[in-house]
Amino acid sequence: MKAITIIQPWATLIALGEKQFETRSWSTKHRGELAIHAGKKIDREACEVPEIKEALARHGYTADNLPTGAVLAIANMTECWSIGTDYQSGMPLLYNGTGGADKRVSLKEDKFGYYSPGRYAWEMDNVRWLPEPIPAKGMQGLWNWER
């Protein structure tokens, strides 16, 4: 199964269903199951952003008890969106170049990612939190995880 390593708190926010998009500087053609791996790094400053701190607290997490170095969840990656800007609102706008409907990023989601034009938003749905984190060594980019 393909996996992606994400630093904390973003890995946990995806695993808990609080964050729907993972923003990256690169695109991918991968669609389907994707293991969400929490890297060993915790961005403690991000954990203090009010929206992030509140989302973590709803589930009993703080910067001090986030799991690291483990696969936390399995998600279904449904789309890789290009990030642009809605010039009327100034908010990020997602488009996939297929001529389909563009998506606007919610105010909440905007706080949970880096939505700069030219980047990409990987859309996740049907996220399944694993009963116990499974220790694994992460890697950069997409990598193969043996369950």
Side-chain angles (χ1 to χ4, degrees):
M1 169 185 309
K2 291 294 183 192
I4 187 78
T5 297
I6 304 170
I7 67 173
Q8 290 288 32
W10 294 282
T12 291
L13 291 170
I14 290 171
L16 294 170
E18 293 281 349
K19 176 177 164 58
Q20 183 180 5
F21 298 96
E22 170 60 11
T23 55
R24 294 276 156 162
S25 62
W26 48 282
S27 179
T28 182
K29 294 191 182 305
H30 176 75
R31 303 295 182 273
E33 282 194 325
L34 184 65
I36 306 301
H37 176 265
K40 296 217 174 207
K41 182 179 178 186
I42 297 174
D43 184 334
R44 292 184 174 277
E45 188 175 307
C47 291
E48 295 304 316
V49 171
E51 293 85 354
I52 293 173
K53 189 173 188 171
E54 290 167 15
L56 292 172
R58 279 195 294 276
H59 301 276
Y61 287 100
T62 69
D64 295 324
N65 68 350
L66 290 169
T68 59
V71 173
L72 307 180
I74 307 298
N76 181 38
M77 186 174 160
T78 60
E79 189 60 76
C80 181
W81 298 87
S82 294
I83 301 172
T85 302
D86 177 2
Y87 293 105
Q88 289 183 323
S89 69
M91 289 295 294
L93 184 66
L94 307 180
Y95 58 96
N96 63 8
T98 63
D102 297 336
K103 281 193 173 193
R104 286 179 171 51
V105 174
S106 70
L107 289 172
K108 172 187 156 188
E109 194 72 36
D110 184 49
K111 300 289 186 187
F112 291 176
Y114 180 33
Y115 288 92
S116 178
R119 291 178 56 86
Y120 299 90
W122 298 16
E123 186 171 10
M124 312 283 173
D125 77 358
N126 192 29
V127 180
R128 284 117 35 224
W129 179 268
L130 298 177
E132 291 291 325
I134 300 172
K137 183 178 179 183
M139 296 181 202
Q140 291 186 340
L142 284 177
W143 50 278
N144 292 317
W145 177 54
E146 301 290 328
R147 220 173 177 177

